[in-house]
């Protein structure tokens, strides 16, 4: 979801219209839940929680069903979610070149079990007030 947040920020700064739909089991399972509420474009965030009966499996947001010749659909999430979104976008008539996906999966392991390896962590520049 992080790449989509950056895209939404850019669209907002450019004065462009967009909707930002996020799906999770509930608020506590939603990545960046608190972060999304602080954005200047927070009113454009549509939260869908399956615990409340609002699941992407059951229905898609109306915006996905309305093809905008100047618009695009950006999808990020687990493989099953992306696959279903692609099917729905195609069925609605969204041109394939206007539907973009971000797929994340772990790379094939190049380390055998039991092998020692190094982990390098970098400071993201956030000030933790000396608590870290």
């Amino acid at each position: 979801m992080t790449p989509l947040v950056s895209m939404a920020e850019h669209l907002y700064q450019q004065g462009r219209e967009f909707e930002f739909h996020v799906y999770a089991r509930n608020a506590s399972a939603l990545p960046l839940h608190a972060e999304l509420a602080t954005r200047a474009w927070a009113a454009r965030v549509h939260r869908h929680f399956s615990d409340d009966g609002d699941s992407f499996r059951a229905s898609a947001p109306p915006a996905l069903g309305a093809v905008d010749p100047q618009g695009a659909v950006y999808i990020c999430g687990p493989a099953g979610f992306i696959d279903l979104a692609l099917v729905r976008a195609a069925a609605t008539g969204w041109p394939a070149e206007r539907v973009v996906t971000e797929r994340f999966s772990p790379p094939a392991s190049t380390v055998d079990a039991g092998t020692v390896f190094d982990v390098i962590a970098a400071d993201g520049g956030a000030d933790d007030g000396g608590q870290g």
Side-chain angles (χ1 to χ4, degrees), residues 12-35:
Y12 179 79
Q13 290 173 0
Q14 298 296 314
R16 305 283 304 269
E17 291 296 320
F18 66 93
E19 293 181 17
F20 195 93
H21 292 265
V22 292
Y23 291 84
R25 177 168 300 183
N26 52 48
S28 63
L30 179 61
L32 304 175
H33 180 64
E35 169 74 17

Side-chain angles (χ1 to χ4, degrees), residues 105-125:
S105 59
S109 177
T110 57
V111 178
D112 294 325
T115 302
V116 176
F117 60 92
D118 293 324
V119 175
I120 301 171
D123 184 337

Side-chain angles (χ1 to χ4, degrees), residues 56-57 75 77-87 103:
F56 190 70
R57 287 183 201 100
I75 308 162
F81 179 88
I82 291 174
D83 293 343
L84 179 57
L86 289 171
V87 166
R103 292 181 185 265

Side-chain angles (χ1 to χ4, degrees), residues 90-113:
T92 302
W94 279 95
E97 65 274 7
R98 294 209 165 269
V99 179
V100 180
T101 62
E102 288 284 341
R103 292 181 185 265
F104 299 99
S105 59
S109 177
T110 57
V111 178
D112 294 325

Side-chain angles (χ1 to χ4, degrees), residues 4-92:
L4 300 183
V5 171
S6 296
M7 290 179 204
E9 190 69 35
H10 178 75
L11 290 171
Y12 179 79
Q13 290 173 0
Q14 298 296 314
R16 305 283 304 269
E17 291 296 320
F18 66 93
E19 293 181 17
F20 195 93
H21 292 265
V22 292
Y23 291 84
R25 177 168 300 183
N26 52 48
S28 63
L30 179 61
L32 304 175
H33 180 64
E35 169 74 17
L36 292 172
T38 67
R39 297 293 179 151
W41 43 269
R44 298 178 187 194
V45 177
H46 302 270
R47 292 166 182 81
H48 305 273
F49 300 128
S50 58
D51 281 356
D52 297 335
D54 189 2
S55 168
F56 190 70
R57 287 183 201 100
S59 65
L64 187 59
V67 177
D68 177 351
Q70 302 302 313
V73 177
Y74 290 85
I75 308 162
C76 181
F81 179 88
I82 291 174
D83 293 343
L84 179 57
L86 289 171
V87 166
R88 288 186 173 161
T92 302

